[in-house]
Structure formats: structure tokens, C-alpha cells
Amino acid sequence: MDRMTYHRRPHEGLLDPHLPKVELSPAAMFEHGLARAGYIEVPRDPHLAYEFLDITMRTVQHYGVEINGRRYNGGCLDGLRDMAGSDIDLDKRRLPFFADPDDVTRIHFRDHERVWHTLQWEHAPSLNMPLSEEALQFARRLAAKEHTYPDDRLAIALLLKRWNLGLGTSLVERRMALRLSREQTALDLPGTPADDVRSLPSVARVLSLPEQLAPPPIETVQDREPEAGDDDADGLEELEEELDFYATALKDIDDDE
């Protein structure tokens, strides 16, 4: 039996429970399914999302590729490292690299055979989580206040130590911490048994705290002078933007519930 005959011939294994006496062929059952569920257009390229990332033109050096002070490397660049010192025109030596500003731990590169490759940031193995461009720039400024020549590894360590105490001290810092926490929730983290919850550092620290005194009266809180800090100026300038951001975030949470 050829395919045309098979698809148009009634098949006893095809049945609509609402029309049990109607004989349906594979072609008729397919049209019936489209009429009920519609046609879903699925992208045929699994790497289509890379096309929407920011494109940065860079030359390949012996150590890899450098973008905004970050060095990326991978085996897919082995045949391109000699181009840096060659007589090839600069326009031909500059290749497109695709980067996500919400995760600078990796970039993506498509070779001449249109095969996608992922290049890893040199400090990504020690980080083990996504990191946004905004958070990295903030970490560098934070480390520069305490050290003369800080590197990115030290800057990230100081930033994570600072955020481990809470969500930061300014509106700008809280926004970046919230974004970082959302990126972490997308990771497949192993579950923590209920018996091990008390052993977590954050939980143990809270349980070891002494009983707190009652909060001061409302009149005292209102009359208190506002605290000043290095980040207050930047936070006040972006106050309206922050309020809109958290209003949108809370609305998303309400919608999900």
C-alpha cells in the first residue's frame, strides 16, 4: 500500500470520542486535529535565540577574545589565533561574537560552517552562576575603593560577600541583586532535605541571633534624620525608575499566583 492510499483510507485505530461512528483516515484525523488545536509554528533552529543577542566585533588573540576587560576562550578558536599577527585586513580579522548582558560568564560564536560554539569567561568556573554586565561593573567599582589593583576574581568575591548580608544598601544595588537571584532560579539546583535546613549558614545565623527588642515608636522613626551614604545620590536619582521596576515585579508575582 502506497502512502497516498494509506493516508486517505479509513483507519480503525483513529477515533473521535465525540463521533464514535465516524470513520476517519489519517489525513482526515490530521485536519480534524488542526481544526481543534490549531497550528503551532515551532522554530526549526534550536540556536535561534543567539541571533537576538548583542553582537560585538573582536579579533582573536593568542589568549582568546577580550570584551570589556573580560577574556573568553575555547577550542573553536584554535584555527583563528594566527589571524591577529597576519597581514589580513582588520575588517576581515574582526569576527562577530554574541553576548548576553544578563550573563557575561559566556559568549557565543558561529564559525564559517555556521556551527555555534560557546566561549567561557576565564573566571566563570569559580563563579558557578550567571552574572550580569551591570553587576560586574558595580563589583569593579566596589573593589577599587578598597584595593589599588583589584582583579575581577577579587571584585566578584567582595560583591558576593556584600550581598550575602542582604540585598544591599542602595536602590541600585537591590535591583541588581534581585536580577541576579532571578537568574539563579533558572538553574537546576539540587533540592535540600528538610533535615538539613537548620545547617544552612543563613538559617544558623538567624537562629543564633538574640531576641530583638521591640521597634521604636512611630513618632521616633519619623523624626529621625535620614542616613547618608555614598550610594544615596545615585539611589535618589533612580528612585522613580526603581519604584516602577518593583511595581512590575510585584505585579508579575501576583499574576503568577
Side-chain angles (χ1 to χ4, degrees), residues 175-251:
R175 184 184 71 235
M176 289 186 292
L178 180 61
R179 180 181 299 175
L180 183 63
S181 65
R182 286 184 173 181
E183 293 288 342
Q184 287 179 277
T185 57
L187 300 176
D188 295 329
L189 299 178
T192 301
D195 297 339
D196 297 337
V197 172
R198 290 178 174 270
S199 63
L200 295 176
S202 58
V203 177
R205 183 170 62 252
V206 173
L207 295 178
S208 63
L209 293 177
E211 184 177 355
Q212 298 182 357
L213 299 177
I218 298 178
E219 293 78 12
T220 305
V221 175
Q222 292 178 345
D223 297 337
R224 185 181 301 169
E225 293 293 332
E227 296 181 359
D230 295 337
D231 297 328
D232 287 350
D234 294 338
L236 291 177
E237 290 178 357
E238 300 187 1
L239 179 58
E240 183 177 355
E241 177 185 352
E242 297 299 329
L243 294 178
D244 294 339
F245 175 83
Y246 285 104
T248 304
L250 293 176
K251 183 178 182 301

